[in-house]
Amino acid sequence: MISDKMAQAASKTCEICVSASGSHYCLECEQYFCDNCKGFHKRQRGTKNHQFQSSFDVIPEVKSKCKDHNEDVSFVCNTCNVAVCSSCVTGSHSGHAFSKLLDSISQLKETNTTDLRSKVHEATQNMKQIEEGLKAFDVKVAGIVKAITEEGTKIKTMIDKCISEKIASVKDQSRKERDKLTKLLEDTQMDLKAGHDLDKKIHEFNKIPNDGKLLQSLQKITDDIAKLRVKPKPEFPNVQYTAKSATDNDVKQLFGNYIISASKQDVIPKEQGKYLFRCNKCGKEERTDTFLATGNRQ
């Protein structure tokens, strides 16, 4: 099934011989040519450089009319930056600089395409650099995290070692003091046993008749009791632990420092649109984006 565009293009007739199918379109002359007429047109000195395109690619257009002269606008007044007709060229815009409307449109299309491709290329390069920068940034951050983790592990090892040494010192010193107390306990137990033994003898003497032999025995026990020395109650060593208060900041001081600088971005203000231009000669106002976008005068 033939599309509307192809059907419309196929219906065009050569505007030179007005007989054959107009399968070619001259961009400069804005006319349809058949194969023969196109060949003749390209051999002429004044038109040999004209550009053609297939009539199937021609976009049907409705030419804009000058609101003052009701003529097709075919020029651009470069002085006023507006689209004008041939009557405007010799009339109110006389003496201004002009160019063909199609030339201006073609130049703008080419310029826009070039500028857009340049910006797309720049954005693509920027994107690649940002992606590479992000990867490098992540690697650096991972390196910092690893360094902090290793430093923390090292500090933990030092703390564990310090704890072990402190505990070993406490146990060693406490063992010495406990040995002293244990020896004192054993001596006191021996004194207590000696006292119990003497007390048992005294009870046994109560069963013996009072005679000279008993007197000698009692005198002997008296000497033994006098020799018995009960060691005084010892002063026990003081045992206490005074913790050194440590804050979160004290712990943080054990670690090194890191720096992540803020990224810098160039802020480019967006274009706020086009402005009106007033022709000093004719007094007319036109927005520059009016004919740039549509080729129409407002």
Side-chain angles (χ1 to χ4, degrees), residues 12 17 29 60 88-89 100 112 126 130 144 153 173 177 193 197 222 241 244 274 282 290:
K12 294 295 183 181
C17 65
C29 299
C88 292
V89 173
K100 290 184 179 180
N112 289 340
N126 289 346
I130 292 172
I144 291 177
T153 301
Q173 187 172 350
E177 296 300 324
K193 182 179 182 303
D197 292 342
T222 300
Y241 174 71
K244 182 178 181 181
K274 305 297 181 179
C282 65
T290 299

Side-chain angles (χ1 to χ4, degrees), residues 195-206:
H196 285 312
D197 292 342
L198 291 175
D199 183 62
K200 187 183 295 184
K201 287 182 179 181
I202 289 176
H203 284 290
E204 291 176 354
F205 288 161
N206 290 332

Side-chain angles (χ1 to χ4, degrees), residues 10-72:
S11 64
K12 294 295 183 181
T13 303
C14 176
E15 298 181 60
I16 306 303
C17 65
V18 197
S19 59
S21 174
S23 58
H24 305 280
Y25 184 78
C26 178
L27 297 176
E28 281 75 8
C29 299
E30 300 182 11
Q31 290 179 313
Y32 291 92
F33 288 75
C34 63
D35 291 336
N36 291 332
C37 292
K38 175 189 174 184
F40 179 77
H41 196 64
K42 294 291 288 184
R43 289 193 296 272
Q44 299 300 311
R45 178 178 299 177
T47 58
K48 65 179 181 180
N49 293 324
H50 283 194
Q51 298 297 317
F52 281 84
Q53 71 180 44
S54 173
S55 59
F56 289 100
D57 297 328
V58 175
I59 301 175
E61 63 177 24
V62 178
K63 294 187 177 181
S64 303
K65 297 290 185 179
C66 173
K67 65 181 180 180
D68 294 328
H69 304 101
N70 198 28
E71 297 180 12
D72 294 340

